[in-house]
Every structure is written in structure tokens, then in C-alpha cells.
Amino acid sequence: MARPVWAGVLSFGLVSLPVGMYTATDSHTIHFHQLQRGTSDRIRNRRVNERTGEEIGLGGIVKGFDTGGEYVLVEPEELDEIAPGRSQSLEITGFVDLDQVDPIFFDKTYYLGPKGKGYGKFYALLQKALAKANRAGVATFVMRGREYLVALKADGRDMRPPQGIPGLPGTTRHSAREMKMAERLISALAMEWEPQTFHDTFQEKAAALIDAKKTGETVEKAEPPAKATGGVDLMDALRASVERARSPKDTREKAAATARPKKEAAAAPKKRAAARAAPLRSLTKAELSKKAAAAHVPGRSSMNHDQLVDALTDSAGGAKRAA
């Protein structure tokens, strides 16, 4: 049975499911072992203290950043705490037209399979909806100290068969309503493929951690990974996801239809604030979190989607007044 090279939670909208990432291509490179000449004895690489010659186990090793004669020590757990999603989250930012993504952007190919019982239906629905829409989910995740940009697509023609990967669903049926709702969610989160807008935020956070440790300060921890949706009704989760991802125009139209007419009194500041908030409400929480980090919004890691919009709106208004 194949072993995952990474495991975490895949999130799209308000639907989350545990997944494992598996190598999708076979290596045909000939690998050699190092042997002592004249014997069949293997040569092993060991972690050795260069001063004492003592071999050190993984538990006794910390990371050190050389600041020019002195080291800033960083524990592995500290890097996990600042990683987006704490190294265990694969959150889809949006869905792009697969034909827009040039193959030159693809470095390696992996399979993503569901982990745990009861998630095959979620997995199969996303797979079928992506194939039907010919779109790919754009997401980032952290693995082995690096942040990666990935395109999640439903296409296995150029890869080896997914043998030995546990949890892959067989024939899974979905209602027409479920498929339609999944397609609406992909459409609501549609975005243009603009790779230049993505950058390695983990390296930025690692640099900030080193600077903070120099001065004895603390850095803000990343949000914990999303929890798997669990046994909730799939239609309810999809419907809520579409509701959250609606365009600002739809939100205003519904509010106008249900709210009572009221007189406008000193409404100019409110209108300006609403105008600043409108484009923000169509963004995902991950996109809002990036903007909040750039604007140095305090307490952003504990905010939900609407609170991030309000905080960014207030931040933008304050900046304009200060200018």
C-alpha cells in the first residue's frame, strides 16, 4: 500500500475533507548504494557534532540561522506554528480555466486521495465537478519547510495508475442537485490564472520569526488547519459555501429585497465604507488573510471572513484619513 508524502485537510468553500498526497510518477533512475571498497559494507550518512564527533539524534537537533557569528535558534515546532494552515492545510483559493495554465508551470505530479471513512462522496463529487467544468483548484500548502503552489485537477491520463492508494472511491452516485450545487460553487469561486500574484509567504514568515527572536519578541501564529467537515449534510455544506462566495451584487440585491426602506441620515461615511468593503467580500478567507498580513491588521489569525472584511475596510479608511 502506498504511503502518503503529505497529509492534511483539503478545503473548498466550507467543505473540508482529510486527504493524503501520493507520488503519481515512477522514477526510472538507476540508484546506487555506497560501499566500502573491497567489501559489501554499506556507507551511511550520520548527523555528527563537528566539535565532539558525537552522533546526534533528530530530537537533539534545532535549526540555526547565522546572523554573522551568532546563531538564532529556531525549534521545528516554531516553524510549524507560523506555516500557513500549520503545514496541514490545502485550501483552494479559487478555480481557474485549466486551459489557461501552461504545462511549463507543472514541476511534479501527485495523486490526492481521501483519508478516513465517509469522505469518498465529497472527494468524488469534487473530482467529477472539476472534470465537467474543465477547471483546476489553485491552492498553496507547506511541505518540508517550503511553500508550494498547486493546481488541483481531475485528470490521470499522463500518470501511472493509482495502485495501492487507499480510500479511492469506486462508483459513487450523486444527486443532480448535489452536482449542480458543486458546479455553482466552482463558478462562484472562478478566478483568472495570474501566477505572479502568488509568492512564498512561508519564507516571509520565517524571516519575521528570526527577526522577532533577535529582539525577544513574539510572532503571530498561523491559523490552525481546517477541521474535516465530518458527517454534515453535503447539500447544506455546499449551499452555505455558495452563499458565502456570492458576488457583492447578489448580496446587495437580496438585502434590498428583504430590508425595509429606511431614510438615509448621514449615510455618506457608511456608503464609502460599503464601497471599500464590496470588492473584499467576494474574496476567500485565505485571500483576505494575506491582505490583512500585508496591512499588519492585529488579531487577524482569530478573525472569521466577515471580521477580516471589516478590519480591512477600517484599515483602508484610516489610511486615507491619515493621508
Side-chain angles (χ1 to χ4, degrees), residues 20 22 111-116 119-121 123-124 127 161-172:
Y22 305 84
Y111 282 119
L112 206 62
K115 288 178 67 67
Y119 294 99
K121 187 175 183 179
Y123 175 93
Q127 181 186 36
Q163 298 176 352
I165 297 179
L168 291 178
T171 302
T172 304

Side-chain angles (χ1 to χ4, degrees), residues 230-307:
V232 303
D233 183 80
L234 180 56
M235 275 299 298
D236 288 344
L238 290 170
R239 188 180 297 108
S241 300
V242 173
E243 181 76 12
R244 194 186 73 171
R246 290 179 311 167
S247 68
K249 178 177 180 296
D250 293 336
T251 304
R252 291 195 299 270
E253 288 178 351
K254 183 175 181 180
T258 57
R260 291 183 177 181
K262 294 183 179 181
K263 294 182 179 180
E264 295 185 2
K270 294 182 179 180
K271 287 184 177 180
R272 287 196 294 269
R276 293 194 298 269
L280 295 173
R281 295 195 183 280
S282 62
L283 301 179
T284 65
K285 185 178 178 182
E287 292 171 319
L288 291 172
S289 296
K290 289 182 179 179
K291 287 183 175 292
H296 303 290
V297 174
R300 56 187 177 272
S301 63
S302 60
M303 295 182 182
N304 58 30
H305 182 275
D306 292 339
Q307 289 171 336

Side-chain angles (χ1 to χ4, degrees), residues 1-8 18-26 108-116 123 141 143 159-168:
M1 183 176 294
R3 295 182 61 183
V5 298
W6 179 88
V19 293
M21 186 176 292
Y22 305 84
T23 302
T25 55
D26 287 324
K108 293 184 179 180
T109 305
Y110 296 91
Y111 282 119
L112 206 62
K115 288 178 67 67
Y123 175 93
F141 78 106
M143 180 173 66
M159 300 175 287
R160 66 174 174 83
Q163 298 176 352
I165 297 179
L168 291 178

Side-chain angles (χ1 to χ4, degrees), residues 121-167:
K121 187 175 183 179
F122 286 18
Y123 175 93
L125 180 63
L126 175 62
Q127 181 186 36
K128 292 178 181 178
L130 284 176
K132 189 174 181 179
N134 192 40
R135 287 189 172 271
V138 178
T140 57
F141 78 106
V142 173
M143 180 173 66
R144 298 168 186 164
R146 289 186 59 191
E147 186 171 13
Y148 295 88
L149 177 65
V150 299
L152 186 70
K153 62 176 186 174
D155 187 355
R157 292 175 296 176
D158 300 325
M159 300 175 287
R160 66 174 174 83
Q163 298 176 352
I165 297 179

Side-chain angles (χ1 to χ4, degrees), residues 206-219:
L209 173 63
I210 292 170
D211 290 339
K213 291 181 75 70
K214 288 180 184 177
T215 58
E217 299 178 358
T218 58
V219 295

Side-chain angles (χ1 to χ4, degrees), residues 65 74 79 82 145 201-212 219:
F65 181 80
V74 179
L79 291 175
I82 64 169
T201 60
F202 179 67
Q203 292 299 313
E204 295 175 355
K205 291 178 180 293
L209 173 63
I210 292 170
D211 290 339
V219 295

